[in-house]
Coordinates of all heavy atoms in Angstrom, one line a residue:
M19 N 95.7 71.1 -198.2 CA 94.8 70.0 -198.6 C 95.4 68.7 -197.9 O 96.6 68.6 -197.7 CB 94.8 69.7 -200.1 CG 94.0 68.7 -200.6 SD 94.0 68.6 -202.4 CE 92.8 67.3 -202.6
A20 N 94.5 67.8 -197.5 CA 94.9 66.5 -196.9 C 93.8 65.6 -197.3 O 92.7 65.9 -197.9 CB 95.0 66.6 -195.5
L21 N 94.0 64.3 -197.0 CA 93.0 63.3 -197.3 C 92.5 62.6 -196.0 O 93.4 62.5 -195.0 CB 93.5 62.2 -198.2 CG 93.9 62.6 -199.5 CD1 94.5 61.5 -200.3 CD2 92.7 63.2 -200.3
H22 N 91.3 62.3 -195.9 CA 90.8 61.5 -194.7 C 90.5 60.1 -195.2 O 89.8 59.9 -196.2 CB 89.5 62.2 -194.1 CG 89.0 61.3 -193.0 ND1 89.6 61.1 -191.8 CD2 87.8 60.6 -192.9 CE1 88.8 60.3 -191.0 NE2 87.7 60.1 -191.7
K23 N 91.0 59.1 -194.5 CA 90.7 57.7 -194.9 C 91.0 56.8 -193.7 O 92.0 57.1 -192.9 CB 91.5 57.3 -196.1 CG 91.3 55.9 -196.5 CD 92.1 55.5 -197.7 CE 91.9 54.1 -198.3 NZ 91.4 53.1 -197.5
S24 N 90.1 55.9 -193.4 CA 90.4 55.0 -192.3 C 91.5 54.1 -192.7 O 91.6 53.7 -193.9 CB 89.2 54.1 -192.0 OG 88.1 55.0 -191.5
V25 N 92.4 53.8 -191.8 CA 93.5 53.0 -192.1 C 93.6 51.8 -191.1 O 93.2 51.9 -189.9 CB 94.9 53.7 -192.1 CG1 94.9 54.7 -193.2 CG2 95.2 54.4 -190.8
A26 N 94.3 50.6 -191.5 CA 94.5 49.6 -190.6 C 95.8 49.8 -189.9 O 96.8 50.3 -190.5 CB 94.5 48.2 -191.3
T27 N 95.9 49.5 -188.6 CA 97.2 49.6 -187.9 C 97.9 48.3 -187.9 O 97.4 47.2 -188.4 CB 96.9 50.0 -186.5 OG1 96.3 48.8 -185.8 CG2 96.0 51.2 -186.3
K28 N 99.2 48.2 -187.6 CA 99.9 47.0 -187.5 C 99.4 46.1 -186.5 O 99.8 44.9 -186.5 CB 101.4 47.4 -187.3 CG 101.7 48.0 -185.9 CD 103.1 48.3 -185.8 CE 103.5 49.0 -184.4 NZ 104.9 49.4 -184.4
F29 N 98.5 46.5 -185.6 CA 97.9 45.6 -184.6 C 96.6 45.1 -185.1 O 96.0 44.3 -184.3 CB 97.7 46.4 -183.3 CG 99.0 47.1 -182.8 CD1 99.2 48.4 -182.9 CD2 100.0 46.3 -182.3 CE1 100.3 49.0 -182.4 CE2 101.1 46.9 -181.8 CZ 101.3 48.2 -181.9
G30 N 96.2 45.3 -186.3 CA 95.0 44.7 -186.9 C 93.7 45.6 -186.7 O 92.7 45.4 -187.4
G31 N 93.7 46.6 -185.9 CA 92.6 47.5 -185.8 C 92.6 48.6 -186.8 O 93.5 48.7 -187.6
G32 N 91.5 49.3 -186.8 CA 91.4 50.4 -187.7 C 91.4 51.8 -187.1 O 91.0 51.9 -185.9
L33 N 91.9 52.8 -187.7 CA 91.8 54.1 -187.2 C 91.0 55.0 -188.0 O 91.3 55.2 -189.2 CB 93.3 54.8 -187.1 CG 94.3 54.2 -186.2 CD1 95.6 54.9 -186.4 CD2 93.8 54.4 -184.7
N34 N 89.9 55.5 -187.4 CA 89.0 56.3 -188.2 C 89.4 57.8 -188.1 O 89.1 58.5 -189.0 CB 87.6 56.3 -187.6 CG 86.9 54.9 -188.0 OD1 87.1 54.3 -189.0 ND2 86.1 54.3 -187.0
S35 N 90.1 58.1 -187.2 CA 90.6 59.5 -187.0 C 92.0 59.6 -187.5 O 93.0 59.8 -186.7 CB 90.5 59.9 -185.5 OG 89.2 59.9 -185.1
S36 N 92.2 59.6 -188.8 CA 93.5 59.8 -189.3 C 93.4 60.7 -190.6 O 92.4 60.7 -191.3 CB 94.2 58.5 -189.7 OG 93.4 57.7 -190.5
Y37 N 94.5 61.5 -190.8 CA 94.5 62.2 -192.1 C 95.9 62.0 -192.6 O 96.9 61.6 -192.0 CB 94.2 63.7 -191.8 CG 95.3 64.5 -191.2 CD1 96.2 65.2 -191.9 CD2 95.4 64.5 -189.8 CE1 97.2 66.0 -191.4 CE2 96.5 65.3 -189.2 CZ 97.3 66.0 -190.0 OH 98.3 66.8 -189.4
H38 N 95.9 62.2 -194.0 CA 97.1 61.9 -194.8 C 97.4 63.1 -195.6 O 96.6 63.6 -196.3 CB 96.8 60.7 -195.6 CG 96.1 59.6 -194.9 ND1 96.7 58.7 -194.1 CD2 94.7 59.4 -194.7 CE1 95.8 57.9 -193.5 NE2 94.7 58.3 -193.9
R39 N 98.7 63.5 -195.7 CA 99.0 64.7 -196.4 C 100.4 64.4 -197.1 O 101.2 63.7 -196.7 CB 99.1 65.9 -195.6 CG 100.2 66.0 -194.6 CD 100.3 67.3 -193.8 NE 101.5 67.3 -193.0 CZ 101.6 68.0 -191.9 NH1 100.6 68.7 -191.5 NH2 102.7 68.0 -191.3
I40 N 100.5 65.2 -198.3 CA 101.7 65.0 -199.1 C 102.7 66.0 -198.5 O 102.4 67.1 -198.2 CB 101.4 65.4 -200.6 CG1 100.6 64.3 -201.2 CG2 102.7 65.6 -201.4 CD1 100.2 64.5 -202.6
E41 N 104.0 65.5 -198.4 CA 105.0 66.2 -197.9 C 106.3 65.9 -198.8 O 106.3 64.9 -199.4 CB 105.4 65.8 -196.5 CG 104.2 66.2 -195.5 CD 104.5 65.9 -194.1 OE1 105.6 65.4 -193.8 OE2 103.6 66.0 -193.2
N42 N 107.2 66.8 -198.7 CA 108.5 66.6 -199.3 C 108.5 66.4 -200.8 O 109.0 65.4 -201.4 CB 109.3 65.5 -198.7 CG 109.5 65.7 -197.2 OD1 109.7 66.8 -196.8 ND2 109.4 64.6 -196.4
V43 N 107.8 67.3 -201.5 CA 107.7 67.0 -203.0 C 109.1 67.4 -203.7 O 109.7 68.4 -203.3 CB 106.6 68.0 -203.6 CG1 106.6 67.9 -205.1 CG2 105.2 67.6 -203.0
A44 N 109.5 66.6 -204.5 CA 110.7 66.7 -205.3 C 110.5 66.4 -206.7 O 109.8 65.6 -207.1 CB 111.8 65.8 -204.8
F45 N 111.2 67.2 -207.6 CA 111.0 67.1 -209.0 C 112.2 66.3 -209.6 O 113.3 66.5 -209.1 CB 111.1 68.5 -209.7 CG 109.9 69.3 -209.3 CD1 109.9 70.1 -208.2 CD2 108.7 69.3 -210.1 CE1 108.8 70.9 -207.9 CE2 107.6 70.0 -209.8 CZ 107.7 70.8 -208.7
T46 N 111.9 65.4 -210.5 CA 112.9 64.6 -211.2 C 112.7 65.1 -212.7 O 111.8 64.6 -213.4 CB 112.7 63.1 -211.1 OG1 112.6 62.8 -209.7 CG2 113.8 62.3 -211.8
G47 N 113.6 66.0 -213.0 CA 113.5 66.6 -214.4 C 112.2 67.3 -214.5 O 111.7 67.9 -213.5
K48 N 111.6 67.4 -215.7 CA 110.4 68.2 -215.9 C 109.1 67.2 -216.0 O 108.1 67.7 -216.1 CB 110.5 68.9 -217.2 CG 111.5 70.1 -217.1 CD 111.6 70.8 -218.4 CE 112.6 71.9 -218.4 NZ 112.6 72.7 -219.6
E49 N 109.4 65.9 -215.9 CA 108.2 65.0 -216.1 C 107.8 64.2 -214.9 O 106.8 63.5 -215.0 CB 108.6 64.1 -217.2 CG 108.9 64.8 -218.5 CD 109.3 63.9 -219.7 OE1 109.6 62.7 -219.4 OE2 109.4 64.4 -220.8
L50 N 108.5 64.2 -213.8 CA 108.2 63.3 -212.7 C 108.2 64.1 -211.3 O 109.1 65.0 -211.3 CB 109.1 62.1 -212.5 CG 109.0 61.1 -213.6 CD1 110.1 60.0 -213.4 CD2 107.7 60.4 -213.7
I51 N 107.3 63.8 -210.4 CA 107.5 64.2 -209.1 C 107.5 63.0 -208.1 O 106.9 62.0 -208.4 CB 106.4 65.3 -208.7 CG1 105.0 64.6 -208.9 CG2 106.6 66.6 -209.4 CD1 103.8 65.5 -208.3
S52 N 108.2 63.2 -207.0 CA 108.2 62.2 -206.0 C 107.7 62.9 -204.7 O 108.0 64.1 -204.6 CB 109.5 61.5 -205.9 OG 110.5 62.4 -205.4
F53 N 107.1 62.1 -203.9 CA 106.7 62.8 -202.6 C 106.3 61.7 -201.6 O 106.2 60.5 -201.9 CB 105.3 63.6 -202.9 CG 104.3 62.9 -203.6 CD1 103.3 62.1 -202.9 CD2 104.3 62.9 -205.1 CE1 102.3 61.4 -203.6 CE2 103.2 62.2 -205.7 CZ 102.3 61.5 -205.0
N54 N 106.2 62.1 -200.4 CA 105.8 61.3 -199.3 C 104.4 61.5 -199.0 O 103.9 62.6 -199.0 CB 106.7 61.5 -198.0 CG 108.1 61.1 -198.2 OD1 108.4 60.2 -199.0 ND2 109.0 61.8 -197.6
V55 N 103.7 60.5 -198.6 CA 102.3 60.6 -197.9 C 102.5 60.2 -196.6 O 102.8 59.1 -196.2 CB 101.3 59.7 -198.7 CG1 99.9 59.9 -198.0 CG2 101.1 60.2 -200.2
C56 N 102.3 61.2 -195.6 CA 102.5 61.0 -194.2 C 101.1 60.9 -193.6 O 100.3 61.6 -193.9 CB 103.3 62.1 -193.6 SG 105.0 62.2 -194.2
S57 N 100.9 59.9 -192.8 CA 99.7 59.6 -192.1 C 99.8 60.0 -190.6 O 100.7 59.6 -189.9 CB 99.2 58.2 -192.2 OG 99.2 57.8 -193.6
Y58 N 98.8 60.7 -190.2 CA 98.8 61.3 -188.8 C 97.5 60.8 -188.1 O 96.4 60.8 -188.7 CB 98.8 62.8 -188.8 CG 100.1 63.3 -189.3 CD1 100.2 63.6 -190.7 CD2 101.3 63.6 -188.5 CE1 101.5 64.1 -191.2 CE2 102.3 64.1 -188.9 CZ 102.5 64.4 -190.4 OH 103.7 64.8 -190.8
F59 N 97.6 60.5 -186.8 CA 96.5 60.1 -186.0 C 96.0 61.5 -185.4 O 96.7 62.3 -184.9 CB 96.9 59.2 -184.8 CG 95.8 59.0 -183.9 CD1 94.6 58.3 -184.3 CD2 95.8 59.5 -182.6 CE1 93.6 58.0 -183.4 CE2 94.8 59.3 -181.7 CZ 93.6 58.5 -182.1
V60 N 94.7 61.7 -185.5 CA 94.1 62.9 -185.0 C 93.5 62.7 -183.7 O 92.5 62.0 -183.5 CB 93.0 63.5 -186.0 CG1 92.3 64.7 -185.5 CG2 93.6 63.7 -187.4
N61 N 94.0 63.3 -182.7 CA 93.5 63.2 -181.3 C 93.1 64.6 -180.9 O 93.8 65.6 -181.0 CB 94.6 62.8 -180.4 CG 94.1 62.6 -178.9 OD1 93.1 63.3 -178.5 ND2 94.8 61.8 -178.1
P62 N 91.7 64.8 -180.7 CA 91.3 66.2 -180.4 C 92.0 66.9 -179.2 O 92.1 68.1 -179.2 CB 89.8 66.0 -180.1 CG 89.6 64.6 -179.9 CD 90.7 63.8 -180.5
N63 N 92.7 66.2 -178.3 CA 93.3 66.8 -177.2 C 94.8 66.9 -177.4 O 95.5 67.4 -176.5 CB 93.1 65.9 -175.9 CG 91.5 65.8 -175.6 OD1 90.8 66.8 -175.7 ND2 91.1 64.6 -175.3
E64 N 95.3 66.5 -178.5 CA 96.8 66.5 -178.7 C 97.1 66.6 -180.2 O 96.5 66.0 -181.0 CB 97.3 65.1 -178.2 CG 98.7 64.9 -178.2 CD 99.1 63.5 -177.6 OE1 98.6 63.2 -176.5 OE2 99.9 62.8 -178.2
F65 N 98.1 67.4 -180.5 CA 98.6 67.5 -181.9 C 99.7 66.5 -182.2 O 100.7 66.4 -181.4 CB 99.0 68.9 -182.2 CG 99.6 69.2 -183.5 CD1 98.7 69.2 -184.6 CD2 100.9 69.3 -183.8 CE1 99.1 69.4 -185.9 CE2 101.4 69.5 -185.1 CZ 100.5 69.5 -186.1
S66 N 99.6 65.7 -183.2 CA 100.6 64.7 -183.5 C 101.6 65.4 -184.5 O 101.3 65.9 -185.6 CB 100.0 63.6 -184.3 OG 101.0 62.7 -184.7
V67 N 102.9 65.5 -184.1 CA 103.9 66.0 -185.0 C 104.7 65.0 -185.7 O 105.2 65.2 -186.8 CB 104.9 66.9 -184.2 CG1 104.2 68.1 -183.6 CG2 105.6 66.2 -183.1
E68 N 104.6 63.8 -185.2 CA 105.4 62.7 -186.0 C 104.3 61.8 -186.6 O 103.3 61.4 -186.1 CB 106.1 61.8 -184.9 CG 107.3 62.5 -184.4 CD 108.4 62.8 -185.4 OE1 108.6 61.9 -186.2 OE2 109.0 63.9 -185.3
P69 N 104.5 61.5 -187.9 CA 103.6 60.6 -188.6 C 103.6 59.2 -188.1 O 104.6 58.7 -187.7 CB 104.0 60.7 -190.1 CG 105.4 61.1 -190.0 CD 105.6 61.9 -188.8
M70 N 102.5 58.5 -188.1 CA 102.4 57.1 -187.7 C 102.9 56.2 -188.8 O 103.3 55.1 -188.6 CB 101.0 56.8 -187.2 CG 99.9 56.9 -188.3 SD 98.3 56.4 -187.6 CE 97.2 57.0 -188.9
S71 N 102.9 56.7 -190.1 CA 103.4 56.0 -191.2 C 103.7 57.0 -192.3 O 103.3 58.1 -192.3 CB 102.5 55.0 -191.7 OG 101.3 55.5 -192.3
K72 N 104.6 56.6 -193.2 CA 105.0 57.4 -194.3 C 105.3 56.4 -195.5 O 105.9 55.4 -195.3 CB 106.3 58.2 -194.0 CG 106.9 59.0 -195.0 CD 108.0 60.0 -194.6 CE 108.8 59.6 -193.4 NZ 109.9 60.5 -193.2
A73 N 104.8 56.8 -196.7 CA 105.1 56.0 -197.9 C 105.5 56.9 -199.0 O 105.1 58.1 -199.0 CB 103.8 55.3 -198.3
Q74 N 106.4 56.5 -199.9 CA 106.8 57.3 -201.0 C 106.1 57.0 -202.3 O 106.0 55.7 -202.6 CB 108.4 57.3 -201.2 CG 108.9 58.2 -202.2 CD 110.4 58.3 -202.2 OE1 111.1 57.5 -201.7 NE2 110.9 59.4 -202.8
Y75 N 105.9 57.9 -203.1 CA 105.2 57.7 -204.4 C 105.9 58.5 -205.4 O 106.6 59.6 -205.2 CB 103.8 58.1 -204.3 CG 102.9 57.3 -203.4 CD1 102.8 57.6 -202.1 CD2 102.2 56.2 -203.9 CE1 102.0 56.8 -201.3 CE2 101.5 55.4 -203.1 CZ 101.3 55.7 -201.8 OH 100.6 54.9 -201.0
V76 N 105.8 58.1 -206.7 CA 106.3 58.8 -207.8 C 105.2 58.9 -208.9 O 104.5 57.9 -209.1 CB 107.5 58.2 -208.4 CG1 108.0 58.9 -209.7 CG2 108.6 58.1 -207.5
C77 N 105.0 60.0 -209.5 CA 104.0 60.1 -210.6 C 104.4 61.1 -211.6 O 105.3 61.9 -211.4 CB 102.6 60.5 -210.0 SG 102.5 62.2 -209.5
A78 N 103.8 61.0 -212.8 CA 104.1 61.9 -213.9 C 103.7 63.3 -213.4 O 102.7 63.5 -212.7 CB 103.3 61.5 -215.1
Y79 N 104.4 64.3 -213.9 CA 104.1 65.7 -213.7 C 103.8 66.4 -215.0 O 104.6 66.3 -215.9 CB 105.2 66.4 -212.9 CG 105.0 67.8 -212.7 CD1 103.8 68.3 -211.9 CD2 105.8 68.8 -213.2 CE1 103.6 69.6 -211.7 CE2 105.6 70.2 -212.9 CZ 104.5 70.6 -212.2 OH 104.3 71.8 -212.0
D80 N 102.7 67.1 -215.1 CA 102.3 67.7 -216.3 C 102.5 69.2 -216.1 O 101.7 69.9 -215.5 CB 100.8 67.4 -216.6 CG 100.4 68.1 -217.9 OD1 101.2 68.7 -218.6 OD2 99.2 67.9 -218.3
L81 N 103.5 69.8 -216.7 CA 103.8 71.2 -216.6 C 102.7 72.1 -217.3 O 102.5 73.3 -216.8 CB 105.1 71.5 -217.4 CG 106.4 71.2 -216.6 CD1 107.6 71.3 -217.5 CD2 106.6 72.2 -215.5
E82 N 102.0 71.5 -218.2 CA 100.9 72.3 -218.9 C 99.6 72.3 -218.1 O 98.7 73.1 -218.5 CB 100.7 71.7 -220.3 CG 101.9 71.6 -221.2 CD 102.5 73.0 -221.5 OE1 101.7 74.0 -221.7 OE2 103.8 73.1 -221.5
S83 N 99.5 71.5 -217.1 CA 98.3 71.5 -216.3 C 98.2 72.7 -215.4 O 99.2 73.3 -215.0 CB 98.3 70.2 -215.4 OG 97.3 70.3 -214.5
S84 N 97.0 73.1 -215.2 CA 96.7 74.2 -214.3 C 96.8 73.7 -212.8 O 96.9 74.6 -211.9 CB 95.4 74.9 -214.5 OG 94.3 73.9 -214.3
A85 N 96.9 72.4 -212.6 CA 97.0 71.9 -211.2 C 98.5 72.0 -210.8 O 99.3 71.7 -211.6 CB 96.5 70.5 -211.2
N86 N 98.7 72.4 -209.5 CA 100.0 72.5 -209.0 C 100.5 71.0 -208.6 O 99.8 70.1 -208.7 CB 100.1 73.4 -207.9 CG 99.4 72.9 -206.6 OD1 99.4 71.8 -206.2 ND2 98.6 73.8 -206.0
P87 N 101.9 70.9 -208.3 CA 102.3 69.6 -208.0 C 101.6 68.8 -206.9 O 101.4 67.6 -207.0 CB 103.8 69.8 -207.6 CG 104.1 71.1 -208.3 CD 102.9 71.8 -208.3
F88 N 101.2 69.6 -205.9 CA 100.4 68.9 -204.8 C 99.1 68.4 -205.3 O 98.7 67.2 -205.0 CB 100.2 69.9 -203.7 CG 101.4 70.1 -202.8 CD1 102.3 71.1 -203.2 CD2 101.8 69.3 -201.8 CE1 103.4 71.4 -202.4 CE2 102.9 69.5 -201.0 CZ 103.8 70.5 -201.4
Q89 N 98.4 69.2 -206.0 CA 97.1 68.8 -206.6 C 97.2 67.5 -207.5 O 96.4 66.6 -207.5 CB 96.4 69.9 -207.4 CG 95.9 71.0 -206.5 CD 95.6 72.2 -207.3 OE1 96.3 72.6 -208.3 NE2 94.6 72.9 -206.8
Q90 N 98.3 67.5 -208.3 CA 98.6 66.3 -209.2 C 98.9 65.1 -208.4 O 98.5 64.0 -208.7 CB 99.7 66.7 -210.2 CG 99.2 67.7 -211.2 CD 100.2 68.0 -212.3 OE1 100.9 67.1 -212.8 NE2 100.4 69.2 -212.8
G91 N 99.7 65.3 -207.3 CA 100.0 64.2 -206.4 C 98.8 63.6 -205.7 O 98.6 62.3 -205.7
Y92 N 97.9 64.5 -205.2 CA 96.7 63.9 -204.5 C 95.9 63.2 -205.6 O 95.3 62.2 -205.3 CB 95.9 65.1 -203.9 CG 96.5 65.5 -202.6 CD1 97.1 66.7 -202.4 CD2 96.5 64.6 -201.5 CE1 97.5 67.1 -201.2 CE2 97.0 65.0 -200.3 CZ 97.5 66.2 -200.2 OH 98.0 66.6 -198.9
A93 N 95.7 63.7 -206.8 CA 94.9 63.1 -207.8 C 95.5 61.7 -208.1 O 94.7 60.7 -208.3 CB 94.9 63.9 -209.1
H94 N 96.8 61.6 -208.1 CA 97.5 60.3 -208.4 C 97.2 59.3 -207.4 O 96.8 58.2 -207.7 CB 99.0 60.5 -208.6 CG 99.8 59.3 -208.6 ND1 99.8 58.5 -209.8 CD2 100.5 58.6 -207.7 CE1 100.6 57.4 -209.6 NE2 101.0 57.4 -208.3
I95 N 97.4 59.7 -206.1 CA 97.2 58.7 -205.1 C 95.7 58.3 -204.9 O 95.4 57.1 -204.6 CB 97.8 59.0 -203.7 CG1 97.2 60.3 -203.1 CG2 99.3 59.1 -203.8 CD1 97.7 60.6 -201.7
K96 N 94.8 59.2 -205.1 CA 93.3 58.9 -205.0 C 92.9 58.0 -206.1 O 91.9 57.3 -205.9 CB 92.5 60.2 -205.0 CG 92.6 60.9 -203.7 CD 91.6 62.1 -203.5 CE 91.4 63.0 -204.6 NZ 90.5 64.1 -204.3
A97 N 93.7 57.8 -207.1 CA 93.4 56.9 -208.2 C 93.9 55.5 -208.0 O 93.5 54.6 -208.7 CB 93.9 57.4 -209.6
L98 N 94.7 55.4 -206.9 CA 95.3 54.1 -206.6 C 94.3 53.2 -205.8 O 93.6 53.8 -205.0 CB 96.6 54.2 -205.8 CG 97.7 54.9 -206.6 CD1 98.9 55.2 -205.6 CD2 98.1 54.2 -207.8
P99 N 94.2 51.9 -206.0 CA 93.3 51.0 -205.3 C 93.4 51.2 -203.7 O 92.4 51.1 -203.0 CB 93.7 49.6 -205.7 CG 94.4 49.8 -207.0 CD 95.0 51.1 -206.9
E100 N 94.7 51.3 -203.2 CA 94.8 51.4 -201.8 C 94.2 52.7 -201.1 O 94.0 52.7 -199.9 CB 96.2 51.1 -201.3 CG 97.2 52.1 -201.8 CD 97.9 51.7 -203.1 OE1 97.3 51.0 -203.9 OE2 99.1 52.2 -203.2
W101 N 94.0 53.7 -202.0 CA 93.4 54.9 -201.5 C 92.0 55.0 -201.9 O 91.4 56.2 -201.8 CB 94.3 56.1 -202.0 CG 95.6 56.1 -201.3 CD1 96.8 55.5 -201.8 CD2 95.9 56.7 -200.1 NE1 97.8 55.7 -200.8 CE2 97.2 56.4 -199.7 CE3 95.1 57.3 -199.1 CZ2 97.8 56.8 -198.5 CZ3 95.7 57.7 -197.9 CH2 97.0 57.5 -197.6
A102 N 91.4 54.0 -202.4 CA 89.9 54.1 -202.7 C 89.1 54.6 -201.5 O 89.4 54.1 -200.4 CB 89.4 52.8 -203.2
G103 N 88.3 55.5 -201.7 CA 87.4 55.9 -200.5 C 88.0 57.1 -199.8 O 87.4 57.7 -198.9
A104 N 89.2 57.5 -200.2 CA 89.8 58.8 -199.5 C 89.0 60.0 -199.9 O 88.7 60.1 -201.1 CB 91.3 58.9 -199.9
V105 N 88.8 60.9 -198.9 CA 88.1 62.1 -199.3 C 88.9 63.3 -198.8 O 89.8 63.2 -197.9 CB 86.7 62.2 -198.6 CG1 85.8 61.1 -199.1 CG2 86.9 62.0 -197.0
D106 N 88.8 64.4 -199.5 CA 89.5 65.6 -199.2 C 89.0 66.2 -197.9 O 87.9 66.1 -197.5 CB 89.3 66.7 -200.3 CG 89.8 66.3 -201.7 OD1 90.7 65.4 -201.8 OD2 89.4 66.9 -202.7
C107 N 90.0 66.7 -197.2 CA 89.7 67.4 -195.9 C 90.5 68.6 -195.7 O 91.4 68.9 -196.4 CB 89.8 66.4 -194.7 SG 91.4 65.8 -194.3

């Protein structure tokens, strides 16, 4: 799973061809997970191995949920204002 969302670059322009995925999930006890959201530029002629940006997040983790840690992480970031409009891809 990954997310598609247009993002602004440090140069002021926007990138429509970008995807964002959760990486490096870590558990803090039984109640929290931390993870990075890495953003990649999608060029049809080239595969990007280095993310253009990376941000770290922490959210509650529900052991009783049927959703795995990645699904819970994606649900968390999609609920944040800066990720409004992100769609699954």
Side-chain angles (χ1 to χ4, degrees):
M19 182 176 183
L21 297 176
H22 174 68
K23 181 177 183 337
S24 297
V25 295
T27 68
K28 63 182 177 182
F29 305 107
L33 290 176
N34 289 325
S35 296
S36 59
Y37 75 97
H38 317 274
R39 69 179 185 206
I40 289 179
E41 299 180 0
N42 304 320
V43 174
F45 294 86
T46 304
K48 295 181 180 181
E49 299 175 355
L50 293 175
I51 55 173
S52 63
F53 53 88
N54 295 327
V55 175
C56 296
S57 300
Y58 295 88
F59 176 67
V60 179
N61 180 339
N63 300 319
E64 183 178 315
F65 178 73
S66 173
V67 292
E68 292 294 322
M70 61 182 168
S71 69
K72 181 173 18 176
Q74 186 170 20
Y75 293 88
V76 176
C77 72
Y79 177 60
D80 182 3
L81 280 168
E82 302 299 320
S83 172
S84 62
N86 68 43
F88 286 91
Q89 292 168 322
Q90 291 184 39
Y92 282 113
H94 172 75
I95 62 172
K96 289 193 310 188
L98 298 174
E100 63 265 32
W101 289 96
V105 294
D106 296 340
C107 62

